[in-house]
Amino acid sequence: PNTGYKFVNWTCTNATYNNSNNPRVDTDVDIDCTANFALNSVTVNYSPGAGGTCTPSQYTNVVIGSSVAGSTCTRSGYTFANFSLNPASACAGFNTASGYCPSVSAAYTATAAWNLNPTVTYNFNGGTCDNASVTIPYNTTAAAPNCSRAGYTRTGYTRLSGSGGTLNTTTGAVTNVTGDQTIQPQYNIYPSAPSSLLAEGASNPIGVTDTTPEFSAIYNDGAGDTGRYYQIQVNTNNTF
């Protein structure tokens, strides 16, 4: 038969001689026989596996040697990974990402595999963050969390647990996330602004022997800036 067709049976002028394989030849009666053919077609299926949907999920009457466009599969809480083909010999050059088959040679089922969408959780570390956690598609980016804590300066971020992805320790963003993990902001305390100028509890201390004396300073440059770090100068002359 021609490509894409299969033999079905013979049809003869005398029904006695009809045969699905070959007409009878042991006769002295003239007969005319016609070979009947049909499209050599199969059915191919696309399965979402455990949960989810595939659109389309089936192609019927696919002619052997023709192509199949593939399928789009979705599943709540998961990201599509690839297709596996059964039997593997049913399509040479099968595209595991799209399900496209350039030339069908037999019926097959393509089954979707999935990756669980990871969750990034934020430990506030005494402060606040925009989100307590985010669940994102597999192998994508969790944006910077924008965390703060009153009276403290944020110095960076660290991963407390989990793995999968690259943490930006400055911004807290995690790229190419592939697993659940917990991220925590890190802080340094800065002093509260004092209301008076004091050193060791006095405005003009005498005989300071403490190697780490306590002091207060008031910062005001007239531009509305807020000073968080202070410096003290020590001298025996109280008017230096």
Side-chain angles (χ1 to χ4, degrees), residues 63-81:
V63 177
I64 295 296
S66 64
S67 63
V68 174
S71 182
T72 300
C73 300
T74 58
R75 182 182 178 186
S76 178
Y78 290 78
T79 299
F80 172 80

Side-chain angles (χ1 to χ4, degrees), residues 14-103:
N14 188 326
T16 302
Y17 304 108
N18 290 341
N19 191 284
S20 60
N21 294 310
N22 294 292
R24 292 179 59 181
V25 294
D26 55 340
T27 177
D28 57 1
V29 178
D30 291 337
I31 58 175
D32 293 320
C33 292
T34 301
N36 299 308
F37 299 90
L39 285 172
N40 191 13
S41 62
V42 295
T43 296
V44 299
N45 297 287
Y46 288 83
S47 169
T53 59
C54 289
T55 305
S57 60
Q58 187 179 79
Y59 292 85
T60 59
N61 299 319
V62 178
V63 177
I64 295 296
S66 64
S67 63
V68 174
S71 182
T72 300
C73 300
T74 58
R75 182 182 178 186
S76 178
Y78 290 78
T79 299
F80 172 80
N82 54 45
F83 285 108
S84 60
L85 187 65
N86 185 31
S89 60
C91 176
F94 181 76
N95 188 312
T96 58
S98 66
Y100 171 73
C101 175
S103 180

